[in-house]
Amino acid sequence: MAKSAKSILISSLEPLSGKSGTVVGLAHLLRQKGLEISYGKPMGNCPGYVDGQLVDEDVEFIRQLLELSPEQLRLPVIYTDVDSVAKRLQGTDKQDYGNILAGYLDRVNSDITLLEGPGTLWEGSIFQLSMGEMAKILQTPILLVARYSSPLIAESLLKAQRELNNQLLGVVISDIPTDDWDEVQSLLKPYLAGQGVEVLGLLPASKLLRSISVREIVHLLGAKVLCRPDRLDWMVESLAIGAMNVNAALEYFRKGENMAVITGGDRTDLQLAALETSTTCLILTGSISPDPLILGRAEDLEVPILSVNLDTLTTVEIVDQAFGKIRLQEQVKVACIRELMEEHFQIDRLLEKLTIGA
C-alpha cells in the first residue's frame, strides 16, 4: 500500500514511563489481530552506532525484535544529542523539521504504524517537534503513557488533555502498586472518563520491569566477571549492602529477593552469608580477590561474582540509580510486558476508536 492506513503517536508525560514497552505490547496485540504493523521514531534520543552508522538504540532494538523490513521502519529525522541541540540554539541549524516530518509516513507498508513520540509534552520544541506538533503534522492521535505516582496524576493528565485538545486518543497508566490498584480502578479511572480522558490500559507495577540484568551492572560498573559469565542475563530486583556483622547481615539478606549484594572483597564472612540467601550476583569492591572457597561456592550456586575498582558507596550509587531506568532490552522483560498488555490493555476498544475492525 502507498501509505499506512492508521497511525498512533505513543508519548509520555515524563521519560522512562514505558513508551517502548507500550510499543512492544501493542505490536504484539495488533499482530494477534492479524494486522501488519510498522514502527517509527521521528526524534532520536538514544544515539548509538551499529557498523559505524548512527542509529537510535530503541529503534534498532525494536527493528530486531519485531523483525521489521526497511519498508516497515522509519528512522529519526533528528537526533537530540548535545551537538544537535547546540547547533539549534546557536542558529546554525535552521532546518524545517516539520516539513521533513510531513512525508514521514509516505510509502509505509503496513495496516497501522506505531510512532514513538516525545517523552514529555514539550520535548522537541526547539526543533518544532513537540508532542502536539508531531501529532498535528502527521495527523495522528496520541496514546499517552503515564507512570502512576498518586491519584493526583489526574491533574497532569487533565493538563495534557487541555494542551493536546482533540489529539488525545487515550491513556495508559503504568507501574500501579498493588496497594493502589483498587483505588485506581474504582476512583481514578471513572473520574478521568467523566472528564473525557479514556483510560485504555492500567498496568500493575512489576518488579521484573524495574529490574536490571547482571550484564547491565557489569557494563555500568566496568566490572570484572570472576565466575559464572554464563549467568549474566539473570535479573536483579533489589540491592543489599554488606557492611555489618555476619549475624545481622544474614537476617538482613534473608529479607531480600533476587539481590545484588555489594560488599568488600575482604569480607569473606558476608560473602558466604549472601550466597546462602536469594542473591543473584555478588559485587566485591576494592579490587580484592575473593577466597577460593567463595569462588567455589558461587560456581556451585551459579551466582556471578563481579569485582570493581570502586569504593562501596560509589558502587551503590551507580547501581541504585539504574533500577527502573534501564530500557526494555532483555527478552524476559519483553515477555512480561506482552503478558501485562494482553491482560490489562483494551485492544478492541483502541481499534474501535481508530475505526479498524476488531
Side-chain angles (χ1 to χ4, degrees), residues 12 15 19 43-45 80 117-134:
S12 61
K19 284 191 292 105
M43 188 167 58
N45 56 3
T80 57
T120 69
L121 283 170
W122 316 120
E123 183 184 0
S125 294
I126 65 171
F127 300 102
Q128 283 76 56
L129 293 178
S130 68
M131 189 189 305
E133 288 169 319
M134 272 193 196

Coordinates of all heavy atoms in Angstrom, one line a residue, residues 12 15 19 43-45 80 117-134:
S12 N 4.7 10.2 26.3 CA 4.5 10.1 27.8 C 4.6 11.4 28.4 O 5.0 12.4 27.8 CB 5.6 9.1 28.3 OG 6.9 9.6 28.1
P15 N 9.9 11.0 31.0 CA 10.8 10.0 30.5 C 10.7 8.7 31.3 O 10.4 8.8 32.5 CB 12.2 10.6 30.5 CG 12.0 12.0 30.5 CD 10.7 12.3 31.3
K19 N 7.1 4.0 27.3 CA 6.7 4.2 25.9 C 7.1 3.0 25.1 O 6.3 2.4 24.3 CB 7.3 5.4 25.3 CG 6.7 6.7 25.7 CD 7.2 7.9 24.9 CE 8.7 8.2 25.2 NZ 9.6 7.8 24.2
M43 N 12.0 11.4 16.4 CA 13.1 12.1 17.1 C 13.9 11.2 18.0 O 13.4 10.6 18.9 CB 12.5 13.2 18.0 CG 13.5 14.2 18.6 SD 12.6 15.6 19.3 CE 11.5 14.8 20.5
G44 N 15.1 11.0 17.6 CA 16.0 10.0 18.3 C 16.7 10.6 19.5 O 17.3 11.7 19.4
N45 N 16.6 10.0 20.6 CA 17.2 10.5 21.8 C 18.1 9.4 22.5 O 18.6 9.6 23.6 CB 16.2 11.0 22.8 CG 15.2 9.9 23.2 OD1 15.2 8.8 22.8 ND2 14.2 10.3 24.0
T80 N 18.6 14.2 19.1 CA 18.7 15.3 20.1 C 19.9 15.1 21.0 O 19.8 15.1 22.2 CB 17.4 15.4 20.9 OG1 17.2 14.1 21.6 CG2 16.2 15.7 20.1
G117 N 6.8 8.7 20.3 CA 6.9 10.2 20.3 C 7.8 10.7 21.5 O 8.5 9.9 22.2
P118 N 7.7 12.0 21.8 CA 8.5 12.6 22.8 C 8.1 12.0 24.2 O 7.0 11.5 24.4 CB 8.1 14.1 22.7 CG 7.6 14.2 21.3 CD 6.9 13.0 21.0
G119 N 9.1 12.2 25.1 CA 8.9 11.7 26.5 C 8.2 12.7 27.4 O 7.9 12.4 28.5
T120 N 8.0 13.9 26.9 CA 7.2 14.9 27.7 C 6.4 15.7 26.7 O 6.6 15.6 25.5 CB 8.1 15.9 28.5 OG1 8.8 16.7 27.5 CG2 9.2 15.1 29.3
L121 N 5.5 16.5 27.2 CA 4.7 17.4 26.3 C 5.6 18.3 25.5 O 5.2 18.7 24.4 CB 3.7 18.2 27.2 CG 2.5 17.5 27.7 CD1 1.7 18.3 28.7 CD2 1.6 17.1 26.5
W122 N 6.7 18.8 26.1 CA 7.5 19.8 25.5 C 8.8 19.4 24.8 O 9.4 20.2 24.1 CB 7.8 20.9 26.5 CG 6.7 21.2 27.4 CD1 6.6 21.1 28.8 CD2 5.4 21.8 27.0 NE1 5.4 21.5 29.2 CE2 4.6 21.9 28.2 CE3 4.9 22.1 25.8 CZ2 3.3 22.4 28.2 CZ3 3.6 22.6 25.8 CH2 2.8 22.7 26.9
E123 N 9.2 18.1 25.0 CA 10.4 17.7 24.4 C 10.3 17.8 22.9 O 9.3 17.5 22.3 CB 10.6 16.2 24.8 CG 12.0 15.6 24.2 CD 12.1 14.1 24.5 OE1 11.2 13.5 25.1 OE2 13.2 13.6 24.0
G124 N 11.4 18.3 22.3 CA 11.5 18.5 20.9 C 11.0 19.9 20.4 O 11.0 20.2 19.2
S125 N 10.6 20.8 21.3 CA 10.0 22.0 21.0 C 11.0 22.9 20.2 O 10.6 23.6 19.2 CB 9.6 22.8 22.2 OG 8.5 22.1 22.8
I126 N 12.3 22.8 20.5 CA 13.2 23.7 19.7 C 13.4 23.3 18.3 O 13.9 24.0 17.5 CB 14.6 23.8 20.4 CG1 15.3 22.4 20.4 CG2 14.5 24.3 21.8 CD1 16.7 22.5 20.9
F127 N 13.0 22.0 18.0 CA 13.0 21.6 16.6 C 11.6 21.6 16.0 O 11.4 21.1 14.9 CB 13.5 20.1 16.6 CG 14.9 20.0 17.1 CD1 15.1 19.4 18.4 CD2 16.0 20.3 16.4 CE1 16.4 19.3 19.0 CE2 17.3 20.2 16.9 CZ 17.5 19.7 18.2
Q128 N 10.7 22.2 16.6 CA 9.3 22.2 16.2 C 8.7 20.8 16.1 O 7.9 20.5 15.2 CB 9.1 23.0 14.9 CG 9.1 24.5 15.0 CD 10.5 25.0 15.1 OE1 11.4 24.8 14.3 NE2 10.7 25.8 16.2
L129 N 9.2 20.0 17.0 CA 8.7 18.6 17.0 C 8.2 18.2 18.4 O 8.5 17.1 18.9 CB 9.9 17.6 16.6 CG 10.3 17.8 15.1 CD1 11.5 16.8 14.8 CD2 9.2 17.5 14.2
S130 N 7.5 19.0 19.1 CA 6.9 18.6 20.4 C 5.8 17.6 20.1 O 5.4 17.4 18.9 CB 6.3 19.9 21.1 OG 5.2 20.4 20.4
M131 N 5.3 17.1 21.1 CA 4.2 16.0 21.0 C 3.1 16.5 20.2 O 2.6 15.9 19.2 CB 3.8 15.6 22.4 CG 2.9 14.4 22.4 SD 2.1 14.1 24.1 CE 3.6 14.0 25.1
G132 N 2.5 17.7 20.6 CA 1.4 18.2 19.8 C 1.7 18.6 18.4 O 0.9 18.4 17.5
E133 N 2.9 19.1 18.2 CA 3.3 19.5 16.8 C 3.5 18.3 15.9 O 3.0 18.2 14.8 CB 4.6 20.3 16.9 CG 4.4 21.7 17.4 CD 5.8 22.4 17.7 OE1 6.7 21.7 18.3 OE2 5.9 23.6 17.4
M134 N 4.1 17.2 16.5 CA 4.2 15.9 15.7 C 2.8 15.4 15.3 O 2.6 15.0 14.2 CB 4.9 14.9 16.6 CG 6.4 14.9 16.5 SD 7.0 13.4 17.2 CE 8.7 13.8 17.4

